[in-house]
Amino acid sequence: MARSSWLVAAVMVSMSGATSAAAQDGWYAEYDFLPLSRVEIVIANDLDEDRKDAPIIIRRDQLPMLADIHELAVSLVDPSGQPRSEPSPELLASQGPHERRAETNGRAIDYQFDDLDRDGIWDELFFVADLKAGERKRFHIYRGFQPRGWNAHRTHGAIGSYMRHLAPFWESEHVGWKLWFPTDVDIYGKRRGLLMSNRLYMGNLDGYGVATENPDYGADIQSVDDSFGGGGIGVFEGDVLARPRFSPGADVANRFNGGQVSDTRYAFEVLVNGPLRSMVRIRTMNWNTGQGRYELEQTYTAYAGQNYTTAEVRFLTWEPGAQGADLAVGIRRRPGQNFERRTQNSVLSAAPEALRNPDDVEGLQQLAPILYAGTALIVPPSDQPAYQFVEARGGNHVFRIPAQADRTYRYMLVAGWSEGEVLKTPDEFAEYVAASARSYAAPPRLDGAREETLP
């Protein structure tokens, strides 16, 4: 199978064939689940470096033999994985008939079938996997309904009513993101690998004081105010930078927009909520810069095991004035920044900080000094980004991206801090950002699929 092409081949394998896949690999079984049909897929890592928890995305049109299947009629198996042993009677009594039972010839792994266009049919198969440098790793997708397989969530996405207004939340075990302001990202870091945004919005806990409930929850590590925060967008109209929440009718004093009819307005939607990735979508409408009019959708995704989120921006209305327009995407320069890394298509800002709620003008909350908090932005180099520093509104590292024919743009936001379980120093954070940029440019890919059956 050629590495450079997407290939789907149908192969019927007989038990009598000495070189059959069943004879070579063995056939997965779990307790009384004895499947007779499977699809072997091969995932290629084109990078000369190992990847951990690498996101794997396979489109429905790449697996036509599974185009009409229910998600409970699938078992995704790593044939090289360690099979589970039979659970204890105590665990079975606790978890019931859906607890996984003893396995042979591989280990079932978590996955999700995501319906992104809301037509009731899955669009993408998603899972995560560890891949060795240059590896072409096999997985098996077994057909057949079976009722077992609890899948604990490692990501979360939701819309919460947070301090009297709606805000999107999305998180992995190490980092969470939210939109207190509707276009510019807030970041919170965890001290332990866990999910906690549901406590943040359901309890309406202050992000800077949430550790009083549980220190492992961590803290808000991003001051946004009127900056781009942990990641935000706008448009360059000539030399003028325009942003959705600072349109001519905006309530600049409160850094929010004005009326929902007369000014920019927003709508939020959860597309996917775990277990391995979560996605939220923000629609920005009626944005009038005074020169042009725009509407757009932003989709943010959190991934299990990762300190980054990816974003896709798609403009539904693009009506710039005579001067034209380019996309602006940026992050705030960390106040007191003492560590910066910049390439043609990425920028990293880090600094020691004394975490403090910027709205706490009375000094009610104690400062919490930390050794460093870091933020990074990565843009695909094919988009020809041009860096510029924007001093206004808090100081921001910004990329100007020429207008694309399809009005669609993508970028990655990364975060880390000294009190997390990982990336505890600026240098470790910088190494992770560089590796994430390489992975973003060359994601793992499907390198072949074939159907196999037992008679």
Side-chain angles (χ1 to χ4, degrees):
M1 298 183 184
R3 287 195 175 201
S4 60
S5 65
W6 298 100
L7 178 62
V8 178
V11 178
M12 304 300 291
V13 180
S14 170
M15 277 290 285
S16 60
T19 60
S20 71
Q24 289 178 349
D25 305 329
W27 208 263
Y28 175 79
E30 181 201 4
Y31 195 57
D32 58 356
F33 177 55
L34 305 171
L36 299 177
S37 173
R38 74 185 183 190
V39 176
E40 180 185 85
I41 59 175
V42 178
I43 302 300
N45 175 15
D46 293 326
L47 294 180
D48 189 21
E49 57 189 89
D50 295 347
R51 308 195 207 198
K52 181 173 175 54
D53 281 329
I56 312 295
I57 299 172
I58 304 177
R59 302 188 314 272
R60 180 169 167 267
D61 63 0
Q62 294 173 301
L63 294 176
M65 70 285 283
L66 298 176
D68 186 23
I69 196 167
H70 192 278
E71 56 199 325
L72 288 179
V74 162
S75 295
L76 178 61
V77 174
D78 178 357
S80 65
Q82 179 65 40
R84 293 174 177 85
S85 57
E86 183 68 4
S88 68
E90 292 78 14
L91 182 59
L92 280 174
S94 171
Q95 292 293 82
H98 303 302
E99 178 61 31
R100 292 195 187 276
R101 306 298 291 265
E103 300 173 302
T104 57
N105 295 321
R107 184 181 183 90
I109 61 177
D110 290 340
Y111 61 90
Q112 53 196 84
F113 281 109
D114 293 331
D115 174 16
L116 303 180
D117 60 8
R118 292 298 192 266
D119 67 351
I121 302 172
W122 72 274
D123 300 303
E124 292 180 352
L125 167 62
F126 181 86
F127 61 101
V128 300
D130 295 345
L131 302 173
K132 294 183 173 62
E135 182 178 17
R136 297 175 69 253
K137 186 168 183 175
R138 294 177 304 115
F139 297 89
H140 293 139
I141 303 173
Y142 286 88
R143 291 191 184 93
F145 177 83
Q146 58 92 3
R148 291 179 289 273
W150 293 117
N151 50 344
H153 283 217
R154 299 175 60 190
T155 68
H156 181 65
I159 311 298
S161 178
Y162 191 59
M163 213 293 283
R164 301 173 20 248
H165 75 301
L166 292 180
F169 295 76
W170 65 106
E171 65 173 324
S172 67
E173 304 102 314
H174 301 304
V175 179
W177 298 267
K178 70 177 185 288
L179 286 172
W180 169 272
F181 299 107
T183 61
D184 303 290
V185 173
D186 256 314
I187 305 169
Y188 48 99
K190 292 85 166 291
R191 291 189 173 89
R192 295 290 182 270
L194 49 73
L195 302 179
M196 50 72 72
S197 64
N198 61 318
R199 284 298 304 129
L200 198 61
Y201 62 78
M202 291 178 68
N204 262 235
L205 306 177
D206 187 282
Y208 292 90
V210 67
T212 58
E213 178 172 292
N214 182 345
D216 291 347
Y217 287 172
D220 193 315
I221 59 172
Q222 178 69 59
S223 176
V224 178
D225 296 318
D226 58 359
S227 75
F228 278 97
I233 60 99
V235 292
F236 282 105
E237 297 177 316
D239 293 329
V240 177
L241 174 58
R243 295 167 59 202
R245 64 185 173 107
F246 297 107
S247 55
D251 183 356
V252 177
N254 288 319
R255 303 181 297 281
F256 281 97
N257 291 100
Q260 293 180 337
V261 175
S262 59
D263 199 3
T264 315
R265 59 183 177 269
Y266 311 91
F268 310 123
E269 177 185 14
V270 177
L271 290 183
V272 177
N273 185 12
L276 299 170
R277 73 170 174 180
S278 293
M279 306 170 73
V280 297
R281 177 169 290 164
I282 298 89
R283 187 170 185 185
T284 300
M285 299 162 283
N286 197 41
W287 175 20
N288 180 2
T289 68
Q291 300 294 325
R293 300 185 65 87
Y294 308 90
E295 294 194 347
L296 61 122
E297 290 179 344
Q298 290 175 273
T299 302
Y300 287 100
T301 305
Y303 302 88
Q306 302 297 345
N307 279 53
Y308 59 69
T309 176
T310 58
E312 179 178 285
V313 181
R314 183 169 67 96
F315 279 84
L316 309 174
T317 299
W318 180 272
E319 298 176 356
Q323 72 290 322
D326 294 326
L327 180 75
V329 59
I331 58 173
R332 182 176 189 170
R333 176 183 59 186
R334 288 274 170 180
Q337 174 187 290
N338 65 350
F339 188 93
E340 178 183 332
R341 294 288 185 273
R342 182 153 47 92
T343 70
Q344 174 199 355
N345 66 305
S346 69
V347 61
L348 178 160
S349 178
E353 291 198 20
L355 298 180
R356 176 181 178 275
N357 188 335
D359 295 326
D360 182 20
V361 295
E362 298 177 82
L364 301 175
Q365 295 172 311
Q366 187 175 358
L367 296 178
I370 60 175
L371 296 178
Y372 99 93
T375 314
L377 165 65
I378 302 166
V379 177
S382 58
D383 285 356
Q384 300 179 308
Y387 172 84
Q388 66 183 82
F389 182 73
V390 176
E391 186 69 47
R393 299 194 184 279
N396 299 275
H397 299 289
V398 180
F399 283 110
R400 180 172 186 151
I401 303 173
Q404 307 292 311
D406 63 359
R407 305 294 185 242
T408 300
Y409 307 83
R410 296 171 179 83
Y411 57 92
M412 174 183 282
L413 303 172
V414 196
W417 71 320
S418 54
E419 300 196 14
E421 282 190 322
V422 296
L423 313 182
K424 299 177 75 67
T425 70
D427 287 321
E428 290 174 345
F429 181 57
E431 290 175 6
Y432 177 80
V433 170
S436 298
R438 293 190 294 270
S439 183
Y440 190 39
R445 58 184 177 83
L446 180 65
D447 195 35
R450 62 176 183 174
E451 191 169 12
E452 303 174 326
T453 61
L454 295 176

